[in-house]
Structure formats: C-alpha cells, structure tokens
Amino acid sequence: MKLNYKPPKIDFKHGTVILAGSGPGSKDLITLKVLSAIKQADVIIYDALVNKNLLKNSKKSSIFIFAGKTKNTKACTQNEINQWMVFHAKKNRKILRLKGGDPSFFSRGSQEIKFLKKNLINYKVFSGITASQQAVKSSNYTFYNESGICNFITGHKKIDKKSISFDLEKIYKNEGRIFVYMGVGQIKNISSKLQNLGMKKSTKVCIVSNTSFPYEKIINTTLRNVEEDIFSNKISPPAIIIIN
C-alpha cells in the first residue's frame, strides 16, 4: 500500500549512506524524511522489523538486501552489512540502511557509523520513532516513576554468549522504571536477577508486543509471574517489557 502524502525533498547525494529508522512497525509512523529516503534510494539494506509495505514506495530499480536478525538466527553478519554499505557507496549509489524503530536505539548504528567513517563514506542519520515511545502510549504508562529515572536496556544477547552482560545491580539501585528491548528470550534471567537483588515479586510489569500494529497485545503482570504469562499468552518478539 502506497502512502498518499508527498514527502519533503532531502539532500540524498550519490555515494552517501543514510542510516534511518522506520518506526515501531505501523506504516503510519514513518517520518517524512525517511519516506523520502525510501523513494530516492538505489540500494535499501533493511532489517527484519521494517514494515515491508514501506518498501513499496521505492523506485522500481532499487536493489533490496535483507539484513534481518531474530532471537537466535541472523541473515548475515554485521561485517557483511558494513561491506555492502561501503561497496555500493563506492559504486556511487544512494544507500539507505533501514532499521526498525530508531537507528540509535540498540541497533548497532554506532558500529556502522564508525565503519563508514573509517572508509571515508559520507553518511547521515534520520531518526525514527522508537518502540518504547509507542509502547508507553499503548500501555498508559509514563517514562518515569516516582524516582524520576528511566532505564533503557536490551535483553538481547550475543549469539555466542549464554546470558546478557549489562549490570542489573546498578540499574536496580537507581530505582528507575526499566524498559527492556528484545527481552522476551531473556526474561527469566532478568526477572530472577532483579528478585535476587531485592526487587519485590509483586512489582508491576507490562509487556507490549507488536506495538502500533492492529494485532498489538498488552499483558499486565508482575515480576513473579512475568515468565509464565509471556509463555501462556504466547508472547513473541518484538516486544517492549516495562518494569516498575
């Protein structure tokens, strides 16, 4: 389905890479700048969470490269993505590196920028609506609790690692609200660690899966029951988990 409004013109030069966010999923939450980039790109390297309907707004001649990752598998390596961007940029093409959500939120955007700089490739970053923004709206939560602090963490682990690597103790001590990206597969680990640190089992938890889509699902539970409720309600990624 093509979108009816006319996006603004952007300065998308040949040999340039634009790293852009496609939003949390719904085609209605794409920014005008990112839509304009889709329309102009010669090459689109896109992730699994990108709404495929958005790609229908591209040129007929556009080259599509799928670079998706799921919980346990990935279509390609990060090095391959880096090499594709540089290869096509040196062919003087307009490259769009299209990610779900916002390219600065747990999407390895900084790694890709570093590689582009190293190879002297011009780049731009176009922001997108990140999933937690939509999840807050859908769940009627706020970003902050009484502490005035919020934490954004990723539950995603590296494929060659058994567990997440961030310091939950420091996060627990600041008493802020916790937003977990990509945490469904690690919720048992996260929940257990927080309880062992002293967080109450009755602490409120909200899971928002497939936020912004018509089939969005919202589950309100507790830290004690979150793993069981994710399983019983057949919650699968993508999902934002809000704790406290």
Side-chain angles (χ1 to χ4, degrees):
M1 180 184 296
K2 289 199 172 185
L3 305 180
N4 295 323
Y5 46 81
K6 185 177 180 180
K9 290 184 178 180
I10 58 170
D11 187 18
F12 198 164
K13 291 185 172 63
H14 288 90
T16 297
V17 175
I18 292 180
L19 290 86
S22 65
S26 171
K27 62 182 178 58
D28 298 326
L29 296 178
I30 189 78
T31 69
L32 295 177
K33 287 179 69 174
V34 176
L35 179 59
S36 185
I38 292 172
K39 286 178 174 286
Q40 296 183 47
D42 299 315
V43 180
I44 301 177
I45 305 171
Y46 67 99
D47 285 346
L49 295 181
V50 171
N51 189 327
K52 306 304 183 294
N53 284 321
L54 292 171
L55 302 180
K56 296 178 182 178
N57 294 279
S58 63
K59 301 185 297 185
K60 289 184 178 179
S61 59
S62 294
I63 299 169
F64 297 103
I65 302 175
F66 178 64
K69 302 179 185 69
T70 59
K71 184 174 69 171
N72 295 314
T73 61
K74 54 184 179 180
C76 57
T77 65
Q78 184 61 51
N79 183 59
E80 286 175 315
I81 296 171
N82 293 342
Q83 296 295 339
W84 288 331
M85 290 190 295
V86 171
F87 172 82
H88 288 290
K90 289 185 175 180
K91 291 289 186 180
N92 207 33
R93 294 169 179 146
K94 300 177 182 179
I95 300 93
L96 176 61
R97 175 69 178 104
L98 192 58
K99 301 169 178 286
D102 180 276
S104 300
F105 267 73
F106 307 122
S107 66
R108 298 184 179 176
S110 60
Q111 295 178 33
E112 293 174 6
I113 289 172
K114 184 177 179 180
F115 192 83
L116 293 172
K117 285 181 176 180
K118 182 179 178 180
N119 287 274
L120 305 178
I121 303 298
N122 292 324
Y123 71 91
K124 295 181 179 181
V125 179
F126 287 1
S127 299
I129 296 173
T130 187
S132 62
Q133 291 175 277
Q134 184 64 26
V136 162
K137 177 182 175 182
S138 299
S139 64
N140 292 320
Y141 268 65
T142 60
F143 277 111
Y144 304 103
N145 58 14
E146 293 79 4
S147 72
I149 298 171
C150 64
N151 304 278
F152 298 97
I153 64 175
T154 172
H156 183 70
K157 65 181 181 66
K158 295 181 180 179
I159 289 179
D160 59 343
K161 301 292 183 182
K162 292 184 178 181
S163 63
I164 50 180
S165 58
F166 53 79
D167 192 339
L168 268 178
E169 184 173 2
K170 289 182 179 178
I171 293 169
Y172 167 71
K173 285 181 177 179
N174 71 37
E175 298 183 346
R177 182 155 287 155
I178 304 171
F179 290 81
V180 187
Y181 286 70
M182 299 174 283
V184 170
Q186 284 290 315
I187 192 58
K188 179 179 181 180
N189 189 10
I190 294 170
S191 174
S192 296
K193 283 189 175 181
L194 287 173
Q195 290 180 64
N196 289 338
L197 288 167
M199 185 173 281
K200 292 181 179 179
K201 294 180 179 181
S202 59
T203 298
K204 292 181 180 179
V205 177
C206 180
I207 306 111
V208 185
S209 68
N210 292 296
T211 188
S212 81
F213 284 106
Y215 46 88
E216 174 184 80
K217 186 180 288 188
I218 301 172
I219 304 297
N220 289 294
T221 182
T222 63
L223 198 62
R224 183 208 316 264
N225 298 324
V226 61
E227 182 188 5
E228 178 183 344
D229 285 342
I230 283 178
F231 177 78
S232 63
N233 287 280
K234 299 180 180 178
I235 300 295
S236 59
I240 293 290
I241 300 170
I242 308 171
I243 303 172
N244 188 14

